[in-house]
Coordinates of all heavy atoms in Angstrom, one line a residue:
T1 N 94.6 86.7 116.2 CA 95.9 87.3 116.1 C 96.2 88.0 117.4 O 95.3 88.7 117.9 CB 96.0 88.3 114.9 OG1 95.7 87.6 113.7 CG2 97.3 89.0 114.9
Q2 N 97.4 87.9 117.9 CA 97.7 88.5 119.2 C 99.0 89.4 118.9 O 99.9 89.0 118.2 CB 98.0 87.5 120.2 CG 96.8 86.8 120.7 CD 97.2 85.9 121.9 OE1 98.4 85.7 122.2 NE2 96.2 85.2 122.4
Y3 N 98.9 90.6 119.5 CA 100.1 91.5 119.5 C 100.4 91.7 121.0 O 99.5 91.9 121.8 CB 99.8 92.8 118.8 CG 99.6 92.6 117.3 CD1 98.4 92.3 116.8 CD2 100.7 92.8 116.5 CE1 98.2 92.2 115.4 CE2 100.6 92.6 115.1 CZ 99.3 92.3 114.6 OH 99.2 92.2 113.3
H4 N 101.7 91.8 121.3 CA 102.1 92.0 122.7 C 102.8 93.4 122.7 O 103.6 93.7 121.8 CB 103.1 90.9 123.1 CG 102.4 89.6 123.2 ND1 101.7 89.2 124.2 CD2 102.3 88.6 122.3 CE1 101.2 88.0 124.0 NE2 101.6 87.6 122.8
I5 N 102.5 94.2 123.7 CA 103.1 95.5 123.8 C 104.1 95.5 124.9 O 103.8 95.1 126.0 CB 102.0 96.5 124.1 CG1 100.9 96.5 123.0 CG2 102.5 97.9 124.2 CD1 99.6 97.2 123.3
T6 N 105.3 96.1 124.6 CA 106.3 96.2 125.7 C 107.0 97.5 125.6 O 106.9 98.2 124.6 CB 107.4 95.1 125.5 OG1 108.0 95.3 124.2 CG2 106.9 93.7 125.6
V7 N 107.6 97.9 126.7 CA 108.4 99.1 126.7 C 109.9 98.7 127.0 O 110.1 98.0 128.0 CB 107.9 100.1 127.9 CG1 108.8 101.3 128.0 CG2 106.5 100.5 127.6
K8 N 110.8 99.2 126.2 CA 112.2 98.9 126.3 C 112.9 100.3 126.3 O 112.8 101.0 125.3 CB 112.7 98.1 125.2 CG 112.2 96.7 125.2 CD 112.8 95.9 124.0 CE 112.2 94.5 124.0 NZ 112.7 93.7 122.9
N9 N 113.7 100.6 127.3 CA 114.4 101.8 127.4 C 113.5 103.0 127.1 O 114.0 103.9 126.4 CB 115.6 101.8 126.5 CG 116.6 100.7 126.9 OD1 116.8 100.4 128.1 ND2 117.2 100.0 125.9
G10 N 112.3 103.0 127.6 CA 111.4 104.1 127.4 C 110.7 104.2 126.1 O 110.0 105.1 125.8
Q11 N 111.0 103.2 125.2 CA 110.4 103.2 123.9 C 109.3 102.1 123.8 O 109.5 101.0 124.3 CB 111.5 103.0 122.8 CG 111.2 103.4 121.5 CD 110.9 104.9 121.4 OE1 111.4 105.8 122.1 NE2 109.9 105.2 120.6
L12 N 108.2 102.4 123.1 CA 107.1 101.4 123.0 C 107.4 100.5 121.8 O 107.7 101.0 120.7 CB 105.8 102.2 122.8 CG 104.5 101.4 122.8 CD1 104.3 100.7 124.1 CD2 103.4 102.3 122.4
F13 N 107.2 99.2 122.0 CA 107.3 98.2 120.9 C 106.1 97.3 120.8 O 105.5 97.0 121.9 CB 108.6 97.3 121.1 CG 109.8 98.0 120.9 CD1 110.4 98.7 121.9 CD2 110.5 98.0 119.7 CE1 111.6 99.4 121.7 CE2 111.7 98.7 119.5 CZ 112.3 99.4 120.5
W14 N 105.7 96.9 119.6 CA 104.7 95.9 119.4 C 105.4 94.6 118.9 O 106.3 94.7 118.1 CB 103.7 96.4 118.4 CG 103.0 97.6 118.8 CD1 103.6 98.9 118.9 CD2 101.7 97.8 119.3 NE1 102.6 99.8 119.3 CE2 101.5 99.1 119.6 CE3 100.6 96.9 119.4 CZ2 100.2 99.6 120.0 CZ3 99.4 97.4 119.8 CH2 99.2 98.7 120.1
R15 N 104.9 93.5 119.3 CA 105.5 92.2 118.8 C 104.4 91.2 118.4 O 103.4 91.1 119.0 CB 106.3 91.6 120.0 CG 107.0 90.3 119.6 CD 107.8 89.8 120.7 NE 108.4 88.5 120.4 CZ 107.8 87.4 120.1 NH1 106.5 87.4 119.9 NH2 108.5 86.3 119.9
H16 N 104.7 90.6 117.2 CA 103.8 89.6 116.7 C 104.7 88.4 116.3 O 105.8 88.6 115.8 CB 103.1 90.2 115.4 CG 102.2 89.2 114.8 ND1 102.6 88.3 113.8 CD2 100.9 89.1 114.9 CE1 101.5 87.6 113.4 NE2 100.5 88.1 114.1
A17 N 104.1 87.2 116.5 CA 104.9 86.0 116.3 C 105.5 85.9 114.9 O 106.6 85.5 114.7 CB 104.0 84.8 116.6
R18 N 104.7 86.3 113.9 CA 105.1 86.2 112.5 C 105.8 87.4 112.0 O 106.8 87.4 111.2 CB 103.9 85.9 111.6 CG 104.2 85.4 110.2 CD 103.0 84.9 109.5 NE 101.8 85.3 110.2 CZ 100.7 85.7 109.6 NH1 100.6 85.8 108.3 NH2 99.6 86.0 110.2
H19 N 105.3 88.6 112.4 CA 105.9 89.9 111.9 C 107.1 90.4 112.6 O 107.8 91.3 112.2 CB 104.8 91.0 111.9 CG 103.6 90.6 111.0 ND1 103.7 90.3 109.7 CD2 102.3 90.5 111.4 CE1 102.5 90.1 109.2 NE2 101.6 90.2 110.2
G20 N 107.3 89.9 113.8 CA 108.4 90.3 114.6 C 108.1 91.5 115.5 O 106.9 91.8 115.8
E21 N 109.1 92.3 115.8 CA 108.9 93.4 116.7 C 109.1 94.7 115.9 O 110.0 94.8 115.1 CB 110.0 93.3 117.8 CG 109.9 94.3 118.9 CD 110.9 94.1 120.0 OE1 112.0 94.4 119.8 OE2 110.5 93.5 121.0
F22 N 108.3 95.7 116.3 CA 108.5 97.0 115.6 C 108.2 98.1 116.6 O 107.4 98.0 117.5 CB 107.7 97.1 114.3 CG 106.2 96.8 114.5 CD1 105.2 97.7 114.7 CD2 105.8 95.4 114.4 CE1 103.9 97.4 114.8 CE2 104.5 95.1 114.6 CZ 103.5 96.1 114.7
E23 N 108.8 99.3 116.4 CA 108.8 100.4 117.3 C 107.6 101.3 116.9 O 107.3 101.5 115.8 CB 110.1 101.2 117.2 CG 110.2 102.3 118.1 CD 111.5 103.0 118.0 OE1 112.5 102.4 117.5 OE2 111.6 104.1 118.5
M24 N 107.0 101.9 118.0 CA 105.9 102.9 117.8 C 106.4 104.2 118.4 O 107.1 104.3 119.4 CB 104.7 102.5 118.4 CG 104.1 101.2 117.9 SD 103.6 101.2 116.2 CE 102.1 102.2 116.3
T25 N 106.0 105.3 117.8 CA 106.3 106.7 118.2 C 105.1 107.4 118.6 O 104.1 107.4 117.8 CB 107.1 107.4 117.1 OG1 108.2 106.7 116.8 CG2 107.5 108.8 117.6
L26 N 105.0 108.1 119.7 CA 103.9 108.9 120.1 C 103.8 110.2 119.3 O 104.7 111.0 119.2 CB 104.0 109.2 121.6 CG 102.8 110.0 122.2 CD1 101.6 109.1 122.2 CD2 103.2 110.4 123.6
L27 N 102.7 110.4 118.6 CA 102.4 111.6 117.8 C 101.7 112.6 118.7 O 102.1 113.8 118.6 CB 101.5 111.3 116.6 CG 102.2 110.5 115.5 CD1 101.1 110.3 114.3 CD2 103.4 111.1 114.9
K28 N 100.7 112.2 119.4 CA 100.0 113.1 120.3 C 99.3 112.1 121.3 O 99.3 110.9 121.1 CB 99.1 114.0 119.7 CG 98.0 113.4 118.9 CD 97.1 114.4 118.2 CE 96.0 113.7 117.4 NZ 95.1 114.7 116.8
K29 N 98.6 112.6 122.3 CA 98.0 111.8 123.3 C 97.1 110.8 122.6 O 96.2 111.1 121.8 CB 97.1 112.6 124.2 CG 96.4 111.8 125.3 CD 95.7 112.6 126.3 CE 94.8 111.9 127.2 NZ 95.2 110.7 127.8
D30 N 97.3 109.5 122.9 CA 96.5 108.4 122.4 C 96.6 108.1 120.9 O 95.8 107.5 120.3 CB 95.1 108.5 122.8 CG 94.9 108.3 124.3 OD1 95.8 107.7 124.9 OD2 93.9 108.7 124.8
V31 N 97.6 108.7 120.2 CA 97.9 108.4 118.8 C 99.3 108.1 118.6 O 100.2 108.9 118.9 CB 97.5 109.6 117.9 CG1 97.7 109.3 116.4 CG2 96.0 110.0 118.1
L32 N 99.6 106.9 118.0 CA 100.9 106.4 117.8 C 101.2 106.2 116.3 O 100.2 105.9 115.5 CB 101.1 105.0 118.5 CG 100.8 105.0 120.0 CD1 100.7 103.6 120.5 CD2 101.9 105.8 120.7
K33 N 102.4 106.3 115.9 CA 102.8 106.0 114.5 C 103.9 105.0 114.5 O 104.8 104.9 115.3 CB 103.4 107.3 113.9 CG 103.8 107.2 112.4 CD 104.2 108.5 111.9 CE 104.7 108.5 110.5 NZ 104.3 107.4 109.6
G34 N 103.8 104.1 113.5 CA 104.8 103.0 113.3 C 104.9 102.7 111.9 O 104.6 103.5 111.0
S35 N 105.4 101.5 111.6 CA 105.5 101.0 110.3 C 104.5 99.9 110.1 O 103.8 99.5 111.0 CB 106.9 100.5 110.0 OG 107.2 99.4 111.0
W36 N 104.4 99.4 108.8 CA 103.5 98.3 108.6 C 103.6 97.2 109.6 O 104.8 96.9 109.9 CB 103.7 97.8 107.1 CG 102.6 96.8 106.7 CD1 101.5 97.1 106.1 CD2 102.6 95.4 106.9 NE1 100.7 96.0 105.9 CE2 101.4 94.9 106.4 CE3 103.5 94.5 107.6 CZ2 101.1 93.6 106.5 CZ3 103.1 93.2 107.6 CH2 102.0 92.7 107.1
P37 N 102.6 96.6 110.1 CA 101.2 96.7 109.7 C 100.5 97.8 110.5 O 99.3 98.0 110.3 CB 100.7 95.3 110.1 CG 101.5 94.9 111.2 CD 102.8 95.4 111.0
F38 N 101.1 98.4 111.5 CA 100.4 99.4 112.3 C 101.0 100.8 112.0 O 101.8 101.3 112.8 CB 100.6 99.1 113.8 CG 99.9 98.0 114.3 CD1 100.0 97.6 115.6 CD2 98.9 97.3 113.6 CE1 99.3 96.5 116.2 CE2 98.2 96.2 114.1 CZ 98.4 95.8 115.4
E39 N 100.5 101.4 110.9 CA 101.1 102.8 110.6 C 100.5 103.8 111.5 O 101.3 104.7 112.0 CB 100.8 103.1 109.2 CG 101.6 102.2 108.2 CD 101.3 102.4 106.8 OE1 100.6 103.4 106.4 OE2 101.8 101.6 106.0
I40 N 99.2 103.8 111.8 CA 98.6 104.7 112.8 C 97.8 103.9 113.8 O 97.0 103.1 113.4 CB 97.7 105.8 112.1 CG1 98.6 106.6 111.1 CG2 97.0 106.6 113.1 CD1 99.5 107.5 111.8
V41 N 97.9 104.2 115.1 CA 97.2 103.5 116.1 C 96.5 104.6 117.0 O 97.2 105.5 117.5 CB 98.1 102.6 117.0 CG1 97.3 102.0 118.1 CG2 98.7 101.5 116.2
E42 N 95.2 104.5 117.1 CA 94.4 105.4 117.9 C 93.9 104.6 119.1 O 93.2 103.7 118.9 CB 93.3 106.0 117.1 CG 93.8 106.9 115.9 CD 92.7 107.3 115.0 OE1 91.9 108.2 115.5 OE2 92.6 106.9 113.9
I43 N 94.2 105.1 120.3 CA 93.8 104.4 121.5 C 92.5 104.9 122.0 O 92.2 106.1 122.0 CB 94.9 104.6 122.6 CG1 96.2 104.0 122.2 CG2 94.4 104.0 123.9 CD1 97.4 104.4 123.1
S44 N 91.6 104.0 122.3 CA 90.2 104.4 122.8 C 90.1 104.1 124.3 O 90.6 103.0 124.7 CB 89.2 103.6 122.0 OG 87.9 103.9 122.5
R45 N 89.6 105.0 125.1 CA 89.5 104.9 126.5 C 88.1 105.0 127.0 O 87.3 105.7 126.3 CB 90.4 105.9 127.2 CG 91.8 105.8 126.9 CD 92.6 106.9 127.6 NE 94.0 106.9 127.2 CZ 95.0 106.3 127.8 NH1 94.7 105.6 128.9 NH2 96.2 106.3 127.4
D46 N 87.8 104.4 128.1 CA 86.5 104.6 128.7 C 86.4 105.8 129.6 O 87.4 106.6 129.6 CB 86.0 103.3 129.5 CG 86.9 103.0 130.7 OD1 87.7 103.9 131.1 OD2 86.8 101.9 131.2
T47 N 85.3 106.1 130.3 CA 85.2 107.3 131.1 C 86.2 107.4 132.2 O 86.5 108.4 132.7 CB 83.8 107.5 131.6 OG1 83.4 106.3 132.3 CG2 82.8 107.7 130.4
A48 N 86.6 106.2 132.7 CA 87.6 106.1 133.8 C 89.1 106.2 133.2 O 90.0 106.0 133.9 CB 87.5 104.9 134.6
Q49 N 89.2 106.4 131.9 CA 90.5 106.5 131.2 C 91.2 105.2 131.1 O 92.4 105.2 130.7 CB 91.4 107.6 131.9 CG 90.9 109.0 131.8 CD 90.6 109.4 130.3 OE1 91.5 109.4 129.5 NE2 89.4 109.8 130.0
A50 N 90.6 104.1 131.3 CA 91.2 102.8 131.1 C 91.1 102.5 129.6 O 90.1 102.9 128.9 CB 90.4 101.7 131.8
I51 N 92.1 101.8 129.0 CA 92.1 101.5 127.6 C 91.1 100.4 127.3 O 91.1 99.4 127.9 CB 93.6 101.1 127.2 CG1 94.5 102.3 127.3 CG2 93.6 100.6 125.7 CD1 96.0 102.0 127.1
K52 N 90.2 100.7 126.3 CA 89.3 99.8 125.8 C 89.8 99.0 124.7 O 89.5 97.8 124.5 CB 88.0 100.5 125.4 CG 87.2 101.2 126.5 CD 85.9 101.7 126.1 CE 85.8 102.3 124.7 NZ 84.5 102.9 124.4
G53 N 90.5 99.6 123.8 CA 91.1 99.0 122.6 C 91.8 100.0 121.7 O 92.0 101.2 122.1
I54 N 92.1 99.6 120.5 CA 92.7 100.5 119.5 C 92.1 100.4 118.2 O 91.5 99.4 117.8 CB 94.2 100.1 119.4 CG1 94.5 98.7 119.0 CG2 95.0 100.4 120.7 CD1 95.9 98.3 118.7
A55 N 92.2 101.4 117.4 CA 91.8 101.5 116.0 C 93.1 101.6 115.2 O 93.9 102.5 115.4 CB 90.9 102.6 115.7
V56 N 93.3 100.6 114.3 CA 94.6 100.5 113.5 C 94.3 100.9 112.1 O 93.4 100.4 111.5 CB 95.2 99.1 113.6 CG1 96.4 99.0 112.8 CG2 95.4 98.7 115.1
S57 N 95.2 101.7 111.5 CA 95.1 102.1 110.1 C 96.4 101.9 109.4 O 97.5 102.0 110.0 CB 94.7 103.5 110.0 OG 93.4 103.8 110.6
N58 N 96.4 101.5 108.1 CA 97.6 101.5 107.3 C 97.1 101.8 105.9 O 96.0 102.3 105.7 CB 98.3 100.2 107.4 CG 97.5 99.0 106.9 OD1 96.7 99.1 106.1 ND2 97.8 97.8 107.5
G59 N 97.9 101.5 104.9 CA 97.6 101.9 103.5 C 96.3 101.3 103.0 O 95.7 101.8 102.1
R60 N 95.9 100.1 103.5 CA 94.8 99.4 103.0 C 93.6 99.4 103.9 O 92.5 99.2 103.5 CB 95.1 98.0 102.7 CG 96.1 97.8 101.6 CD 96.4 96.4 101.3 NE 97.3 96.2 100.2 CZ 97.6 95.1 99.7 NH1 97.1 94.0 100.1 NH2 98.5 95.0 98.7
V61 N 93.9 99.5 105.2 CA 92.8 99.4 106.3 C 92.7 100.7 107.0 O 93.7 101.3 107.3 CB 93.2 98.2 107.3 CG1 92.2 98.1 108.4 CG2 93.4 96.9 106.5
K62 N 91.5 101.1 107.3 CA 91.2 102.3 108.1 C 90.4 101.9 109.3 O 89.3 101.4 109.3 CB 90.4 103.3 107.2 CG 91.1 103.7 106.0 CD 92.3 104.6 106.3 CE 92.9 105.1 105.0 NZ 94.3 105.4 105.1
K63 N 91.0 102.2 110.5 CA 90.4 102.1 111.8 C 89.9 100.7 112.1 O 88.8 100.6 112.6 CB 89.4 103.2 112.0 CG 90.0 104.6 111.9 CD 89.0 105.6 112.3 CE 89.8 107.0 112.2 NZ 89.1 108.0 113.0
L64 N 90.7 99.7 111.9 CA 90.3 98.3 112.3 C 90.4 98.3 113.8 O 91.4 98.6 114.4 CB 91.3 97.3 111.7 CG 91.2 95.9 112.2 CD1 89.9 95.3 111.6 CD2 92.4 95.1 111.8
W65 N 89.2 97.9 114.4 CA 89.1 97.9 115.8 C 89.7 96.6 116.4 O 89.4 95.5 116.0 CB 87.6 98.0 116.2 CG 87.4 97.8 117.7 CD1 86.8 96.8 118.3 CD2 87.7 98.8 118.7 NE1 86.7 97.0 119.7 CE2 87.3 98.3 119.9 CE3 88.3 100.0 118.7 CZ2 87.5 98.9 121.1 CZ3 88.5 100.7 119.9 CH2 88.1 100.1 121.1
M66 N 90.5 96.8 117.5 CA 91.1 95.6 118.2 C 90.8 95.9 119.7 O 91.1 96.9 120.2 CB 92.6 95.5 118.0 CG 93.0 95.2 116.6 SD 94.7 95.1 116.5 CE 94.9 94.2 115.0
E67 N 90.1 95.0 120.3 CA 89.7 95.1 121.7 C 90.7 94.6 122.6 O 91.3 93.5 122.4 CB 88.4 94.4 121.9 CG 87.7 94.6 123.2 CD 86.3 94.1 123.3 OE1 85.6 94.2 122.3 OE2 86.0 93.5 124.3
K68 N 91.0 95.3 123.7 CA 91.9 94.9 124.7 C 91.4 93.7 125.5 O 90.2 93.6 125.9 CB 92.2 96.0 125.7 CG 93.2 95.7 126.8 CD 93.3 96.8 127.8 CE 94.2 96.4 128.9 NZ 94.3 97.4 129.9
R69 N 92.2 92.7 125.8 CA 91.8 91.5 126.6 C 92.6 91.4 127.8 O 93.7 91.8 127.9 CB 92.0 90.2 125.8 CG 91.0 90.1 124.7 CD 91.1 88.7 124.1 NE 90.2 88.5 123.1 CZ 89.9 87.4 122.6 NH1 90.6 86.3 123.0 NH2 89.1 87.2 121.6

């Protein structure tokens, strides 16, 4: 499964071929809130502050790890 991240007019969006596009809102540094399937997204960084991946949570799933490619 692939998700594409874009910024439009200063707003962050995630896009999936089947689910379409949905908006994410910054709650605090490295924590985003959205709607299903990504209700909460926690960004994980390495020591150089580069993004390693994200942990995704929703009503059924807690901290599903997705690695950046």
Side-chain angles (χ1 to χ4, degrees):
T1 300
Q2 291 184 353
Y3 291 89
H4 298 275
I5 303 167
T6 59
V7 176
K8 293 181 182 178
N9 298 322
Q11 203 57 38
L12 185 66
F13 289 87
W14 299 72
R15 187 178 171 302
H16 181 271
R18 193 171 13 141
H19 300 303
E21 186 175 80
F22 50 99
E23 184 177 344
M24 299 296 289
T25 304
L26 184 65
L27 291 179
K28 61 182 181 178
K29 180 175 172 39
D30 293 339
V31 180
L32 304 165
K33 181 173 176 27
S35 58
W36 187 92
F38 288 175
E39 292 176 10
I40 298 291
V41 175
E42 298 173 66
I43 299 169
S44 178
R45 298 177 185 269
D46 64 16
T47 55
Q49 296 302 303
I51 296 174
K52 295 188 318 184
I54 59 174
V56 178
S57 300
N58 64 29
R60 296 181 179 188
V61 176
K62 298 292 182 203
K63 298 191 179 198
L64 172 69
W65 176 251
M66 295 181 163
E67 190 171 317
K68 180 182 175 185
R69 288 189 179 192

